[in-house]
Amino acid sequence: MMSYPPQQETFSGPEASSERMPPGSFITGGREQFRTAAWLAAAYNEPGLWLTGGALVVAMGMIILLLGYIAWEGLAAFWPRNVVQIQLFDGTIVCGEVVRVERYVPQPSLLETLPDEIRQKAQRLLGDHGSIRRRLVRIGNYELTGEHFRWVSDFEIASDGESYPASITVFERRAWGRFFGFLQDFVTAEQVVASGSERVWEELTRVHPQALALWKKLRKLEWRDMGRINHRMEKARLQLRKVELDYGEESPEAARGRAEWEKLQAALESEAAELRQQIELVRNRLTQWALRVSTADGRETTLLLGDIVRAYQPNRLFWWQKLAIYRARVWEFLTDEPREANSEGGVFPAIFGTVLMTLLMSIGVVPFGVVAALYLREYAKSGWAVSAVRIAVNNLAGVPSIVFGVFGLGFFCYTVGATIDQLFFSARLPAPTYGSGGILWASLTLALLTLPVVIVATEEALAAVPNSMREGSYACGATKWQTIRRVVLPRAMPGVLTGMILAMARGAGEVAPLMLVGVVKLAPELPIDDQFPFFHPERSFMHLGFHIYDLGFQSQNAEAARPMVFATALLLVLIIFTLNLAAIFIRARLRRRFLGARF
């Protein structure tokens, strides 16, 4: 048999190549072309693909834009700004930080009231740009000016009337907001020890850390040490009151109790008197340091060094020095208490209250939700009653949150709390203990609010467990409860945690019900302290969500509170994200554990 050599195919045209294609490249390229053609055909024939994909892109873009805007505004709130000094055409001097810039078209009636030269300048600016720029300047010095902010338009500024003086100093105070001024004298015990901007600044940077340490010591004496004495005195008074209620005010037991109370009161009054002397000494040392400062328009005043939280000269700072102030402000925001009507200072009590309330809510809602879902899915027989319960649970998820707040106020505070006060805290009546809002009632109210979420998620997780696993457990001789506890519930735990994550995300951001059952504008006493019983669930608390509402809608100085609104909102998002991330991590570990145990 004769064999012939294989015929080689010849190609011409643009597809011709001098190199031979690698083996399998034609198949691979064809497969990719087929996949591309298939996707294009599906996209052309399936408009839902474009619709759903576009909706996903739009939703993700909106979320990223929202979070990015909140993060930008919140993080920029702590950056120290330069201070500008502006002289207006009428001789008025405006000095402060520029916090906002915008363009506007002034009313003709406003322009008619201006002098001819200024009106011509405004008309020229208006003709060049179609609008006029104006800046919102935080001028501070509220006790002297009576206002915190002022708008300054470009046509109001005199020629060469804008400057950035290097010696201008910004004082962040514990009251009255910020102060912008020039250093004149440093006074100690009513004697001038330094004069001139440079020498006073050196003395201020040397002495101010001592003043801060003394203020912290004064705070400790007034709040912690004096608080302990008051707590012991109140505890003894309540014990005496209880004895009088139990045995009568004329009984021998009440007489002995009054004798012990008078003896203890005398000892505590002696301790309190010594403590007041220490407090007075520290306060006198704080008041002996003072600064004489002048404003940009020449007015002079005196600032006590103990009232100053931070002082800096922003127009002299380099970026790394501003970064140090930025870090200090962020740390103060996370660890300190609010001041100046919540528009400055920190939000640590609100952080603590939000996290503690969310954890208590989770502890309260998860057991009840899981037990209810177990009964509905594993024990209850299908019928009209079970269907009615499921419909009710689903409808509860759509009830407005304020309705749950009204229920919590009426049931937990006025009914359960009042009963607890009658039984266990009768000595404190008529002042309520549990009969008013507190973190416990707020947590239970939000637990009821989020209960439908946990029930529905748990039922779905239980339904996802294969019946073959239940039947295998029964075949091995296990009872129904043993099957649920050892087989069904462990494998449904990731779904249960999913419900808990959803409940935490909703409950942590609720505000309306909390306004009725325990949250307040300012609560310096935390629900946890070093006084027995250490945890006080009856106390009111602060919450980041209510803090945002208070800053945004109830603050008297809305412009100063505006940056804090974004910073607090960003912090609330980060806290919820952290709590959810921890729950997601636990859920992932449980899922890997039980998926790996399948056979």
Side-chain angles (χ1 to χ4, degrees):
M1 178 179 293
M2 296 179 63
S3 61
Y4 298 93
Q7 298 287 332
Q8 287 189 347
E9 297 183 1
T10 59
F11 298 91
S12 61
E15 292 84 1
S17 175
S18 60
E19 297 181 359
R20 180 172 296 180
M21 297 176 63
S25 61
F26 178 78
I27 299 176
T28 304
R31 185 182 297 114
E32 295 298 331
Q33 293 178 1
F34 176 76
R35 289 177 178 174
T36 304
W39 185 86
L40 291 174
Y44 180 77
N45 296 320
E46 293 286 343
L49 176 64
W50 295 99
L51 181 62
T52 55
L56 177 62
V57 171
V58 171
M60 293 298 297
M62 293 175 62
I63 293 173
I64 294 174
L65 183 63
L66 173 63
L67 295 180
Y69 179 72
I70 293 176
W72 173 260
E73 293 288 344
L75 295 177
F78 305 104
W79 186 260
R81 306 171 187 266
N82 289 342
V83 177
V84 61
Q85 180 175 312
I86 303 173
Q87 183 175 357
L88 306 183
F89 68 89
D90 59 356
T92 304
I93 297 178
V94 177
C95 185
E97 301 172 340
V98 177
V99 297
R100 197 191 313 171
V101 180
E102 64 180 30
R103 306 194 72 89
Y104 78 110
V105 178
Q107 297 292 333
S109 58
L110 174 63
L111 298 179
E112 293 175 358
T113 62
L114 299 175
D116 294 340
E117 181 182 356
I118 304 303
R119 183 172 64 252
Q120 293 175 3
K121 181 180 179 181
Q123 291 174 347
R124 184 173 63 255
L125 292 174
L126 189 61
D128 293 341
H129 304 281
S131 60
I132 295 177
R133 185 187 70 162
R134 66 177 181 178
R135 291 172 287 180
L136 183 63
V137 182
R138 182 174 187 171
I139 59 177
N141 306 2
Y142 183 76
E143 67 273 26
L144 300 179
T145 62
E147 56 183 354
H148 293 282
F149 293 84
R150 179 169 179 175
W151 285 103
V152 177
S153 301
D154 284 354
F155 64 83
E156 298 180 281
I157 303 175
S159 301
D160 300 328
E162 183 173 335
S163 62
Y164 292 84
S167 59
I168 190 73
T169 306
V170 178
F171 300 95
E172 297 181 16
R173 301 179 291 177
R174 305 189 193 280
W176 296 101
R178 297 182 186 179
F179 191 93
F180 303 94
F182 297 91
L183 299 172
Q184 299 294 328
D185 301 308
F186 189 93
V187 180
T188 300
E190 299 184 355
Q191 295 182 356
V192 178
V193 297
S195 297
S197 177
E198 298 298 331
R199 290 192 58 195
V200 173
W201 177 253
E202 293 176 1
E203 193 70 16
L204 172 62
T205 54
R206 184 184 67 83
V207 178
H208 188 243
Q210 303 177 30
L212 288 179
L214 283 177
W215 185 86
K216 292 179 181 178
K217 182 179 180 180
L218 179 63
R219 182 80 169 178
K220 171 178 171 294
L221 292 173
E222 290 179 338
W223 285 84
R224 194 186 72 176
D225 297 343
M226 187 63 75
R228 288 177 176 175
I229 293 177
N230 293 334
H231 176 76
R232 291 172 58 190
M233 192 174 298
E234 179 66 13
K235 183 178 179 181
R237 187 191 69 83
L238 292 176
Q239 290 177 350
L240 173 61
R241 178 60 179 164
K242 182 173 177 55
V243 171
E244 291 176 347
L245 291 175
D246 292 341
Y247 299 97
E249 296 183 2
E250 304 299 330
S251 63
E253 291 82 1
R256 287 193 300 268
R258 279 191 292 270
E260 295 177 359
W261 155 248
E262 292 174 358
K263 181 178 179 181
L264 179 61
Q265 185 182 26
L268 293 177
E269 285 291 348
S270 176
E271 292 183 20
E274 295 179 0
L275 190 58
R276 292 190 192 97
Q277 293 180 358
Q278 298 180 27
I279 292 174
E280 193 64 25
L281 289 175
V282 175
R283 186 177 285 115
N284 290 336
R285 289 187 60 188
L286 273 176
T287 55
Q288 71 178 355
W289 291 318
L291 292 171
R292 291 176 183 170
V293 295
S294 63
T295 61
D297 55 1
R299 287 180 287 184
E300 294 186 357
T301 187
T302 301
L303 303 179
L304 294 178
L305 203 61
D307 295 336
I308 298 174
V309 178
R310 187 179 296 106
Y312 59 95
Q313 296 178 336
N315 296 342
R316 287 181 173 177
L317 298 179
F318 296 100
W319 68 268
W320 58 85
Q321 294 172 317
K322 290 186 177 182
L323 183 61
I325 296 177
Y326 180 84
R327 290 197 301 264
R329 284 179 171 178
V330 172
W331 180 251
E332 178 189 42
F333 178 71
L334 297 176
T335 60
D336 208 349
E337 297 177 356
R339 64 174 188 271
E340 197 61 24
N342 291 347
S343 62
E344 293 184 0
V347 292
F348 176 74
I351 297 173
F352 189 89
T354 302
V355 174
L356 182 60
M357 186 214 66
T358 305
L359 294 178
L360 290 177
M361 178 202 71
S362 302
I363 294 174
V365 70
V366 171
F368 287 101
V370 172
V371 169
L374 278 175
Y375 179 80
L376 291 175
R377 176 60 58 178
E378 301 293 334
Y379 288 98
K381 296 181 180 180
S382 299
W384 65 269
V386 174
S387 299
V389 169
R390 286 198 173 97
I391 293 174
V393 169
N394 292 329
N395 289 336
L396 279 177
V399 174
S401 59
I402 190 65
V403 176
F404 287 94
V406 173
F407 174 80
L409 178 66
F411 179 73
F412 291 124
C413 298
Y414 293 161
T415 303
V416 179
T419 303
I420 293 175
D421 287 349
Q422 291 287 345
L423 295 177
F424 303 103
F425 300 96
S426 57
R428 295 187 180 183
L429 294 175
T433 302
Y434 284 88
S436 60
I439 192 169
L440 176 62
W441 303 141
S443 302
L444 292 180
T445 301
L446 290 186
L448 289 177
L449 174 66
T450 56
L451 184 62
V453 178
V454 177
I455 292 176
V456 173
T458 303
E459 275 204 82
E460 296 296 331
L462 294 173
V465 178
N467 285 329
S468 59
M469 304 188 75
R470 296 179 176 85
E471 294 169 356
S473 177
Y474 296 149
C476 292
T479 62
K480 189 175 186 65
W481 171 243
Q482 289 174 335
T483 300
I484 293 174
R485 185 166 60 91
R486 296 179 179 271
V487 177
V488 177
L489 196 56
R491 283 155 182 81
M493 192 57 65
V496 174
L497 290 178
T498 300
M500 186 182 73
I501 292 170
L502 297 175
M504 290 170 57
R506 184 184 179 188
E510 287 290 344
V511 177
L514 299 180
M515 297 169 64
L516 301 176
V517 289
V519 72
V520 293
K521 178 184 178 70
L522 181 64
E525 287 188 334
L526 299 178
I528 295 180
D529 56 22
D530 57 353
Q531 302 293 332
F532 183 83
F534 310 114
F535 174 56
H536 304 273
E538 77 281 0
R539 288 183 182 174
S540 299
F541 67 103
M542 296 183 67
H543 187 271
L544 288 173
F546 182 78
H547 193 73
I548 295 171
Y549 165 77
D550 178 69
L551 288 173
F553 300 99
Q554 303 294 321
S555 177
Q556 297 178 353
N557 190 2
E559 288 294 339
R562 182 173 177 267
M564 296 291 287
V565 170
F566 289 100
T568 308
L570 177 62
L571 182 60
L572 178 59
V573 171
L574 292 177
I575 288 177
I576 295 175
F577 175 77
T578 302
L579 293 173
N580 290 347
L581 194 65
I584 290 171
F585 175 75
I586 297 174
R587 183 184 64 182
R589 293 198 61 178
L590 289 174
R591 181 177 286 122
R592 287 196 301 268
R593 172 185 174 186
F594 292 114
L595 285 178
R598 290 185 178 181
F599 57 92

